[in-house]
Amino acid sequence: METNEYILSGDELTVTIRVPETCTGTRFDRTGWITQVRLDSAGIDFCVSESLIAGQGTGGEGLSNEFGIDKAIGYDEAIPGDTFVKLGIGALTKVDEESYNFARTYPVEAYEIRTEFGRSEIRFTVDVPEHNGYAAKLVKTITVDGRSLHVRYKLENLGSKKISTNEYVHNFVSVGGHAIGPDYALKLHYAPELKLLGDGGVEEKLELTPGQLTWNAEAGGEYYALYEGFANGEKPYWELLHVPSGAGMSESGDFGAAKLGVWGSGHVVSPEVFVDLELEAGESKAWTRTYRFWA
């Protein structure tokens, strides 16, 4: 029987994942696209859509990861009409001499994705065929374990050219659907340095104090802030807490964090931890993101 989604079931969590072949768009990785996480005992959902208005935004939902938002593989050396690599999606066609734009939809020849599905674990494998010196293999394994969700990546550079890109997860989340505002705290285990303020009055909404970010008012329209300041090799951790209920979620990783983005609006917040990926020919890199949920 055909389905549009896979359901991973554990003792505590139910996790919904899109079938890769049903995914559209050319931004978010089609492998392991997690659209919902439910803590069954509390009846709490943690994932929401990027926008509540149909047709707005870039189609994000839940735990949507992306490769190369600002470091597209092979784009700069490609000529219009040629293709470049978008990991987890396919060979995208460069249409003009404009800079790569993650929000733009490009013509795509989707990569074949192999899926191995079990009750509490699923694995996706993507082979990137050689083109213009670039080739790779991406394996992503998602496992449900108690109140934890593990996302394990392995990227191999099988081409002759260096792969220089990055990866992050655009976590479109809230806690139980509660509006984002003063009832929330985003707790951090490092002292971030503000690098960039986006529009949306973010400087009036977000307050950075030692160990956490808080909201001074209901989040309202879209906003964005980018933080750096991780020590070399420092591993990421953030925790989103809905203070009145005590419910929340966290993300940790076994990799050196590069930077932290915080995007959001009234119904959603997206902490985004980046990992840099610099692989010479023949090299590989494995990294893991672990999410935990409580109420």
Side-chain angles (χ1 to χ4, degrees):
M1 182 176 67
E2 292 187 0
T3 180
N4 291 330
E5 58 190 27
Y6 296 107
I7 305 294
L8 296 184
S9 299
D11 296 335
E12 300 270 3
L13 299 177
T14 298
V15 178
T16 306
I17 301 172
R18 286 185 182 176
V19 171
E21 289 73 21
T22 69
C23 297
T24 58
T26 56
R27 179 181 185 184
F28 296 115
D29 183 356
R30 298 177 180 182
T31 71
W33 191 333
I34 298 167
T35 58
Q36 191 56 266
V37 178
R38 166 165 280 224
L39 181 57
D40 295 324
S41 59
I44 294 178
D45 292 332
F46 290 87
C47 295
V48 295
S49 297
E50 175 182 351
S51 175
L52 299 179
I53 301 174
Q56 287 194 2
T58 60
E61 181 182 11
L63 312 186
S64 308
N65 87 289
E66 179 180 9
F67 288 91
I69 183 174
D70 53 5
K71 299 172 72 175
I73 300 171
Y75 183 86
D76 291 341
E77 63 199 79
I79 61 174
D82 201 358
T83 59
F84 61 99
V85 173
K86 186 72 171 180
L87 290 170
I89 298 179
L92 275 55
T93 298
K94 183 173 182 176
V95 295
D96 52 35
E97 292 292 358
E98 295 294 321
S99 298
Y100 174 71
N101 182 351
F102 67 88
R104 188 175 185 178
T105 299
Y106 294 86
V108 57
E109 182 179 348
Y111 297 137
E112 181 180 349
I113 300 172
R114 302 191 300 278
T115 304
E116 303 167 73
F117 174 55
R119 179 178 180 273
S120 59
E121 183 173 282
I122 191 167
R123 178 176 291 111
F124 301 93
T125 302
V126 187
D127 293 310
V128 177
E130 193 279 333
H131 175 73
N132 198 25
Y134 295 103
K137 181 177 182 179
L138 172 66
V139 180
K140 186 192 295 183
T141 306
I142 301 173
T143 307
V144 175
D145 175 21
R147 294 190 173 194
S148 297
L149 177 64
H150 307 283
V151 185
R152 299 180 174 90
Y153 305 73
K154 184 177 181 181
L155 178 63
E156 298 178 70
N157 184 355
L158 302 179
S160 58
K161 292 183 178 179
K162 179 181 180 179
I163 289 177
S164 179
T165 190
N166 52 22
E167 185 270 346
Y168 74 103
V169 182
H170 207 321
N171 298 296
F172 296 101
V173 296
S174 70
V175 178
H178 293 289
I180 307 301
D183 283 345
Y184 280 87
L186 182 63
K187 297 183 178 295
L188 306 169
H189 281 187
Y190 82 111
E193 300 171 2
L194 183 63
K195 178 176 175 61
L196 171 71
L197 278 175
D199 54 10
V202 63
E203 67 277 6
E204 298 174 359
K205 296 174 183 176
L206 285 177
E207 181 176 351
L208 177 61
T209 56
Q212 68 178 14
L213 282 166
T214 53
W215 287 259
N216 293 319
E218 296 298 329
E222 293 184 19
Y223 58 90
Y224 181 75
L226 179 64
Y227 299 91
E228 294 185 342
F230 288 98
N232 185 35
E234 184 174 6
K235 295 177 173 56
Y237 182 87
W238 58 260
E239 180 180 304
L240 181 66
L241 180 65
H242 180 251
V243 178
S245 68
M249 64 178 292
S250 68
E251 181 191 354
S252 58
D254 64 354
F255 54 89
K259 55 189 177 183
L260 168 72
V262 179
W263 177 91
S265 65
H267 73 287
V268 57
V269 61
S270 295
E272 309 164 354
V273 179
F274 284 73
V275 56
D276 285 334
L277 302 170
E278 303 289 336
L279 279 69
E280 298 288 350
E283 290 186 339
S284 65
K285 181 177 178 65
W287 69 102
T288 300
R289 299 177 182 271
T290 294
Y291 296 86
R292 294 182 174 86
F293 305 86
W294 64 86

